[in-house]
Amino acid sequence: MKLCKKVKVVDVRPFGQPMTAGPEFFELRLENPGWDEWKPGQFVMLRPTSFGLEHVWARPFSIAMCDKQELTLFIQRVGRGTAHIAALEPGDHVLVWGPLGTSFVQEPDTHTLLLAGGVGIAPFKGYAILHPKRDNLRLVFAHRASARCYPYEQLADAVKAERVQEEKPEHLARVITLLHERISQYADGLVLACGPAPFLTTVRKYALEYGARCQLSLENRMACGVGACLGCVTPGVDGENRRVCVEGPVFWAQDIALGGGK
Amino acid sequence: MMDTTVRLPGLTLKNPVLTASGTFGFGLEFEDFGDLRTLGGIVVKGMSLKPRQGNPMPRVAETACGMLNAIGIQNPGVESFIKNKLPHLPWEDTAIIANLYACTAEEFGELADILSAEEGVAALEVNVSCPNVKEGGAAFGQDPVQIGRVTEAVKAKARNKPVMVKLSPNVADIGVCARAAEAGGADMLSLINTVTGMAVDLVTRKPLLANVIGGLSGPAIKPVALRCVHQAVRAVKIPIIGLGGIVTARDALEFILVGAHAIQVGTANFLRPDAAFRLVQQLPKDMEIIGIGSLDELRGTLVLPGA
């Protein structure tokens, strides 16, 4: 059951930066909207009151964690919409609808590789916390900004983790090399990835090459988040469009066509 | 008890609030956010004879107080609608209005023939005004002769279902288009469809839509919509359903004041998924605040200068 609820902001906690207004990387903690259940990989649509009529769309964010008290999101400020969200203060109200979309599979006894690119690390926080056999998880985190800007340390405390930074375009090769190497080790396991489209395209390529079962969490601009507007579609390998908000955001890698190819 | 009933030719609505085509899916997507039966009606996503995948991505972009879309009528086709969607909709309790899209008058007639045979379809809305497909829509919508021809073709196959023709604002004279639809036999009109527009990215130097040009909707176009409804009301005798940028119940009442019989809620469904349901709840309260007991007391009572 999806709910649309007005909830209070508990805290806006910047990562890797001083406590100044409008941080670039931050954790947004909200009151739990009264959900019965949710699964890692699902997302919410979030709309601060300050959007007014200027912004007609809410913004989609992966759920980092949700417990009985709080819903936590991890957000990077990129445009005017996220600037409004970064400027939120405790006690402010936001409208949230969710939980939305599909989730990552959880197979406790399968060796599972978590591949996160930048803010794509968000869903893996909840995934790791709720996984009954964390020894079977391994995280690879590729990032551009300093690792302190992301909830990486929290995750590295919970699961086996390594990271690779792409400070300059020349570093891209070492990201690709690491992804290739790790995926090749998980041919019999499970590979779960969340990050920007080129990152997912690379993951998909190696996962299919090594025959690893692989799920990818996609992002797209969304107007409604509930499957109505058809603005967020992505083509399947069969040529049929899939709605990222409903049939996704988490897809099996072999079902969708990424990067224009099959 | 406030009376919000709207009587249209061959169609009685329990309240004037319809959801606009393309913004409310097939209605079922919104079941978790409100009771569909409380709506005056649901105009479902535009459908064609055969399934369509629509335009390439990206095909939506947010703009100030609005959005652009160039979806291109992606839809599963009329047969799939009838088989997979209609049986799940509460058509006995709320008006389900099918939105028809085709490239020729003959195809429009064929669609009307198929849909008008369905007990669950309360009315047909004819999309002669989609700006996002090269063939059909836009060309029809800007040519009064074609509007009349398409309306006649649909009306000829509509059986007892009322026909609503959805007009484009992207024309020199909306009154001429309104009269063409009326002369073609339309039972009512809905307006406006989106206003053509575009948005660009200064960094990539590319348009924000793959289709380059799309249709603008949302609060940004409400003044355009009110102007078009105002002009259309004066051009024809048939009822008009107003839409374009309606978010609040007060917005809805403004369209009634200008002369609309009912309204459609479109982009507001993206502001929040319970927008249409909330508007239905709020409407009687705002009617009371402005001191009217029925919509008839307000409809078309706009006081013009010199009157």
Side-chain angles (χ1 to χ4, degrees):
Chain A
M1 177 85 180
K2 302 181 278 262
L3 287 177
C4 179
K5 279 276 294 269
K6 191 169 159 182
V7 296
K8 222 181 253 178
V9 173
V10 177
D11 198 12
V12 180
R13 198 163 75 85
F15 273 92
Q17 307 135 80
M19 295 291 288
T20 51
E24 188 182 352
F25 296 91
F26 59 100
E27 194 174 68
L28 179 65
R29 289 166 49 208
L30 306 169
E31 289 174 336
N32 180 316
W35 295 349
D36 291 336
E37 59 167 1
W38 71 283
K39 287 179 178 164
Q42 289 190 291
F43 71 102
V44 292
M45 294 296 280
L46 176 86
R47 175 179 186 81
T49 311
S50 63
F51 271 18
L53 290 182
E54 190 203 341
H55 294 283
V56 296
W57 297 348
R59 296 293 186 270
F61 297 105
S62 190
I63 300 164
M65 184 57 199
C66 187
D67 59 22
K68 284 196 168 58
Q69 284 76 41
E70 290 180 13
L71 164 64
T72 304
L73 309 173
F74 178 68
I75 297 173
Q76 181 178 1
R77 171 171 54 77
V78 291
R80 293 181 303 133
T82 42
H84 276 279
I85 296 166
L88 286 167
E89 290 178 8
D92 286 348
H93 283 96
V94 295
L95 192 69
V96 169
W97 59 96
L100 305 170
T102 56
S103 55
F104 287 116
V105 291
Q106 187 199 71
E107 297 176 4
D109 296 317
T110 307
H111 289 281
T112 303
L113 179 64
L114 311 177
L115 302 174
V119 281
I121 196 168
F124 295 126
K125 180 176 172 179
Y127 191 88
I129 291 172
L130 298 175
H131 200 279
K133 291 190 180 175
R134 276 182 225 165
D135 286 349
N136 281 335
L137 301 181
R138 177 180 195 138
L139 171 74
V140 174
F141 180 47
H143 56 103
R144 285 195 177 141
S146 156
R148 287 178 293 117
C149 295
Y150 306 89
Y152 173 73
E153 287 302 328
Q154 298 177 1
L155 258 168
D157 287 343
V159 300
K160 200 183 308 160
E162 65 193 312
R163 61 183 184 84
V164 54
Q165 190 170 7
E166 185 195 338
E167 283 174 285
K168 302 181 242 175
E170 304 90 275
H171 296 165
L172 180 62
R174 67 189 195 204
V175 175
I176 293 171
T177 304
L178 183 61
L179 290 175
H180 185 173
E181 191 182 328
R182 287 293 169 264
I183 292 168
S184 73
Q185 295 160 348
Y186 280 78
D188 301 325
L190 187 59
V191 176
L192 309 177
C194 183
F199 177 83
L200 297 181
T201 304
T202 303
V203 170
R204 182 177 182 275
K205 182 184 129 190
Y206 290 126
L208 294 185
E209 188 178 320
Y210 290 96
R213 287 183 309 128
C214 175
Q215 286 189 319
L216 308 173
S217 175
L218 270 63
E219 59 179 359
N220 242 337
R221 288 179 181 201
M222 290 179 187
C224 71
V226 298
C229 74
L230 308 179
C232 70
V233 301
T234 198
V237 285
D238 54 6
E240 298 271 321
N241 283 330
R242 308 274 197 285
R243 294 167 297 178
V244 172
C245 66
V246 176
E247 281 101 347
V250 179
F251 293 94
W252 286 102
Q254 70 273 16
D255 292 341
I256 48 165
L258 277 185
K262 294 196 171 182
Chain B
M1 183 65 188
M2 212 48 87
D3 183 12
T4 57
T5 310
V6 178
R7 285 172 193 84
L8 297 163
L11 180 68
T12 299
L13 308 174
K14 67 180 76 162
N15 64 62
V17 184
L18 308 172
T19 55
S21 183
T23 66
F24 208 65
F26 290 100
L28 302 166
E29 294 86 345
F30 291 82
E31 273 181 321
D32 281 350
F33 304 108
D35 185 348
L36 296 175
R37 295 169 302 179
T38 64
L39 301 172
I42 299 168
V43 187
V44 298
K45 173 71 183 169
M47 68 189 91
S48 43
L49 282 170
K50 296 272 170 276
R52 288 174 60 100
Q53 289 298 319
N55 287 329
M57 293 286 285
R59 53 194 196 183
V60 288
E62 197 189 44
T63 58
C65 297
M67 62 173 284
L68 289 164
N69 90 79
I71 304 296
I73 323 276
Q74 178 184 328
N75 80 95
V78 65
E79 296 299 346
S80 173
F81 165 72
I82 290 169
K83 193 166 152 243
N84 304 317
K85 307 290 182 187
L86 192 53
H88 302 292
L89 283 163
W91 53 267
E92 283 175 321
D93 299 304
T94 190
I96 304 301
I97 300 172
N99 180 287
L100 287 62
Y101 172 78
C103 301
T104 65
E106 291 69 33
E107 281 177 22
F108 269 111
E110 239 180 288
L111 265 175
D113 192 31
I114 296 167
L115 286 160
S116 64
E118 292 301 317
E119 190 186 2
V121 173
L124 308 179
E125 181 178 65
V126 188
N127 184 0
V128 290
S129 49
C130 180
N132 299 325
V133 284
K134 288 192 178 66
E135 77 287 4
F140 284 132
Q142 289 168 348
D143 180 350
V145 175
Q146 293 287 0
I147 291 172
R149 199 168 288 164
V150 169
T151 307
E152 282 170 23
V154 171
K155 195 62 193 163
K157 301 282 180 157
R159 297 183 171 87
N160 60 339
K161 309 285 186 192
V163 172
M164 180 190 302
V165 177
K166 187 169 182 178
L167 298 181
S168 167
N170 308 309
V171 295
D173 187 341
I174 191 109
V176 171
C177 298
R179 280 193 293 271
E182 184 182 45
D187 298 294
M188 50 197 140
L189 305 175
S190 51
L191 56 126
I192 58 175
N193 206 323
T194 55
V195 178
T196 49
M198 69 185 281
V200 298
D201 185 323
L202 206 47
V203 177
T204 62
R205 302 194 182 189
K206 288 179 182 171
L208 260 52
L209 298 178
N211 196 52
V212 185
I213 290 168
L216 181 66
S217 64
I221 70 163
K222 200 186 89 181
V224 180
L226 277 172
R227 183 268 295 173
C228 288
V229 170
H230 171 72
Q231 292 176 326
V233 162
R234 271 148 189 77
V236 295
K237 293 193 175 64
I238 52 177
I240 285 166
I241 319 289
L243 72 151
I246 294 172
V247 176
T248 65
R250 294 186 77 91
D251 292 337
L253 290 170
E254 287 177 18
F255 279 80
I256 307 287
L257 168 64
V258 169
H261 274 71
I263 58 100
Q264 295 182 7
V265 180
T267 298
N269 296 311
F270 304 152
L271 269 86
R272 52 187 302 160
D274 54 2
F277 305 105
R278 285 163 57 93
L279 202 157
V280 168
Q281 297 296 318
Q282 187 61 32
L283 191 69
K285 297 175 194 164
D286 282 343
M287 287 169 68
E288 198 173 344
I289 289 168
I290 63 167
I292 55 164
S294 75
L295 295 169
D296 291 340
E297 287 177 43
L298 178 68
R299 186 172 298 113
T301 60
L302 184 69
V303 181
L304 293 167

